């Protein structure tokens, strides 16, 4: 869909304003169908609160988030519907509540799937309710009466950390999905540079290909979400679904950033998280490792890690990160990105970060100390580190 922007008018704008009013982001009684300045401010506030890209426009992802935000927990009965599951802010609130109480509802993705249904059924069974996996009035009343069940640490962090520990420290046999951003009809950032024309899609595909080779040499099964010249740009939700269907252990999305100010530069890494502290614990750790390794090995400015609820991160069921490897609009960063040797250093940093994620925390190594060529040598020799 074409993004709805300031200055637009029509029924879609009126619907957006209605939802924003219900969320107390616009004053009640202020009807109309114009995307005016107060509406833009309200959209930006909504995007900020939901961990979306804050641009003041309503594109496909913001539209779906607005549609989901209509629902408040308790306003309807929630159940596992097939093939079209229930989606909404009420589902996400329920998932977060279950996670706080120690029930394994999976990621708080706002989708009432089988895992959420099983967590509800387990809660109902322990509370003496009919364990049908449906969250209706009786289940809601019981939920409201109870406090947190798990103390002494985030239950999801404990669960995810234990899964990584059980997997062991080696990369051999892991499945990693690499997602070169954009592609097809969407080139991403496009920057003319004298007689040359650099596109984000081309640069990140080259990075992805190099990363594919390094990981494969370390014994990893690698899949890319697209080829060098796809016919169309795959939506983020489809990229996440592809990774889920492949049973990936790790998902890495590669992008470059851009800004109207050419002085903007640096690398940033994103993981799934919301404004109230719910996060993918292993995704957060992987993001920190990727960020530190890239900064140490390349000298790019450290723009830190950030929690976002983008569909690409929210819908993936494995540790997932999106890496913005420099600003293509920055002459300094662009000069580095177009150098194959620099791209090799970025790739080695990401491989080292993935390896460190599987090391137990007490056996972690200093940033920048892993020699990626040694990982290849271990595989070539047919030995496994334990």
């Amino acid at each position: 869909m074409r993004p709805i922007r300031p200055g637009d008018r029509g029924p879609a704008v009126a619907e957006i304003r209605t939802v924003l009013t219900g969320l107390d982001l616009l004053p009640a009684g202020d009807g109309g169908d114009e995307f005016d300045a107060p509406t833009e401010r309200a959209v930006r506030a909504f995007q900020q609160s939901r961990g979306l890209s804050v641009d003041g426009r309503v594109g496909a992802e913001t539209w779906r988030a607005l549609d989901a935000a209509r629902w408040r927990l308790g306003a309807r009965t929630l159940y596992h519907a097939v093939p079209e599951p229930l989606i909404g802010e009420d589902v996400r609130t329920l998932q977060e509540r279950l996670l706080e109480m120690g029930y394994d509802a999976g990621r708080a993705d706002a989708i009432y799937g089988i895992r959420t249904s099983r967590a509800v059924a387990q809660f109902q069974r322990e509370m003496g309710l009919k364990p049908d996996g449906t969250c209706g009035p009786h289940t809601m009343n019981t939920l409201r009466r109870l406090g947190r069940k798990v103390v002494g640490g985030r239950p999801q962090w404990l669960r995810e950390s234990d899964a990584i520990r059980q997997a062991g420290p080696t990369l051999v046999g892991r499945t990693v999905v690499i997602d070169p951003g954009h592609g097809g009809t969407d080139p991403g950032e496009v920057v003319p540079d004298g007689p040359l024309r650099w596109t984000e899609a081309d640069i990140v595909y080259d990075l992805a290909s190099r990363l594919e080779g390094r990981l494969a040499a370390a014994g990893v099964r690698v899949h890319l979400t697209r080829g060098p010249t796809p016919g169309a740009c795959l939506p983020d939700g489809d990229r996440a679904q592809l990774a889920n269907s492949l049973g990936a252990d790790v998902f890495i999305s590669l992008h470059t950033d851009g800004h109207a100010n050419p002085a903007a530069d640096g690398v940033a890494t994103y993981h799934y998280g919301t404004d109230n502290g719910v996060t993918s614990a292993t995704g957060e750790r992987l993001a920190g490792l990727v960020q530190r390794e890239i900064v140490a090995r390349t000298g790019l400015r450290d723009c830190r890690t950030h929690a976002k609820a983008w569909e690409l991160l929210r819908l993936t069921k494995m540790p997932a990160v999106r890496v913005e490897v420099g600003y293509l609009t920055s002459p300094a960063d662009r000069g580095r990105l177009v150098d194959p040797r620099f791209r090799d250093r970025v790739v080695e940093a990401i491989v080292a970060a993935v390896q460190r994620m599987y090391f137990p925390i007490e056996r972690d190594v200093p940033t920048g100390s892993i020699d990626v060529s040694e990982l290849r040598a271990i595989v070539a020799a047919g030995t496994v580190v334990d």
Side-chain angles (χ1 to χ4, degrees):
M1 63 175 285
R2 182 187 74 82
I4 301 172
R5 306 178 166 86
D8 288 349
R9 287 181 174 273
V13 176
E15 190 170 356
I16 290 168
R17 290 172 60 90
T18 298
V19 175
L20 294 171
T21 299
L23 297 172
D24 296 326
L25 295 174
L26 279 176
D30 184 18
D33 63 355
E34 180 186 359
F35 201 128
D36 54 12
T39 304
E40 181 184 5
R41 288 195 295 271
V43 168
R44 287 180 178 274
F46 174 80
Q47 292 170 325
Q48 181 70 39
S49 69
R50 294 308 192 274
L52 304 173
S53 297
V54 181
D55 59 8
R57 300 182 299 172
V58 180
E61 190 165 10
T62 298
W63 179 271
R64 287 190 288 269
L66 282 165
D67 188 55
R70 301 173 189 270
W71 299 104
R72 288 288 176 269
L73 186 59
R76 59 175 174 170
T77 297
L78 299 173
Y79 56 94
H80 182 216
V82 178
E84 296 294 333
L86 297 180
I87 299 174
E89 192 68 18
D90 52 348
V91 178
R92 190 182 79 163
T93 303
L94 173 64
Q95 291 169 327
E96 292 173 353
R97 185 83 169 92
L98 290 167
L99 288 169
E100 287 176 353
M101 297 174 66
Y103 295 97
D104 185 8
R107 184 163 299 178
D109 57 7
I111 302 172
Y112 203 97
I114 186 65
R115 198 164 173 181
T116 301
S117 178
R118 287 172 178 166
V120 170
Q122 182 185 355
F123 168 78
Q124 292 169 323
R125 189 177 298 110
E126 294 181 4
M127 294 299 110
L129 303 173
K130 180 181 177 182
D132 58 6
T134 297
C135 186
H138 294 302
T139 301
M140 275 303 310
N141 288 336
T142 305
L143 275 169
R144 291 190 181 104
R145 293 198 302 268
L146 296 177
R148 291 185 58 156
K149 180 178 179 181
V150 175
V151 295
R154 291 178 295 177
Q156 191 68 1
W157 164 261
L158 299 174
R159 189 178 294 116
E160 292 184 5
S161 297
D162 184 63
I164 291 292
R165 180 181 292 272
Q166 293 294 327
T170 179
L171 290 182
V172 176
R174 307 283 181 215
T175 298
V176 174
V177 171
I178 306 169
D179 172 46
H182 306 282
T185 55
D186 178 13
E189 290 290 337
V190 179
V191 179
D193 187 7
L196 302 176
R197 178 178 177 271
W198 302 105
T199 71
E200 177 180 359
D202 290 342
I203 286 177
V204 297
Y205 183 78
D206 180 84
L207 277 169
S209 298
R210 292 169 188 266
L211 182 56
E212 178 186 25
R214 298 296 195 286
L215 286 171
V220 177
R221 293 189 292 266
V222 187
H223 301 270
L224 269 62
T225 59
R226 69 170 176 89
T229 55
C233 182
L234 196 65
D236 282 354
D238 292 351
R239 296 175 193 242
Q241 181 55 43
L242 175 62
N244 293 338
S245 68
L246 291 169
D249 297 297
V250 174
F251 179 87
I252 300 169
S253 185
L254 299 171
H255 289 254
T256 63
D257 217 330
H259 198 276
N261 184 352
D265 64 348
V267 56
T269 308
Y270 299 86
H271 61 89
Y272 173 70
T274 65
D275 58 338
N276 60 357
V278 173
T279 185
S280 165
T282 50
E284 183 178 6
R285 182 173 181 231
L286 177 59
L289 292 170
V290 168
Q291 183 71 14
R292 293 196 296 275
E293 288 285 350
I294 291 178
V295 169
R297 293 171 186 256
T298 68
L300 285 170
R301 184 191 302 275
D302 185 2
C303 296
R304 302 189 302 279
T305 63
H306 306 273
K308 288 290 182 182
W310 294 325
E311 289 181 347
L312 190 74
L313 304 175
R314 178 171 60 87
L315 299 179
T316 43
K317 299 184 183 302
M318 69 292 303
V321 295
R322 170 170 163 165
V323 192
E324 299 278 355
V325 190
Y327 281 70
L328 199 54
T329 50
S330 159
D333 281 3
R334 184 168 64 252
R336 292 167 164 175
L337 285 165
V338 301
D339 181 350
R341 293 168 300 180
F342 175 83
R343 296 199 294 273
D344 278 339
R345 291 201 298 274
V346 171
V347 164
E348 290 182 356
I350 295 174
V351 173
V354 174
Q355 175 61 85
R356 287 179 65 191
M357 186 186 75
Y358 284 100
F359 286 160
I361 293 178
E362 65 273 12
R363 290 179 53 192
D364 197 8
V365 297
T367 298
S369 65
I370 290 180
D371 184 345
V372 173
S373 65
E374 291 183 2
L375 301 178
R376 296 196 294 270
I378 290 170
V379 175
T383 58
V384 174
V385 177
D386 59 21

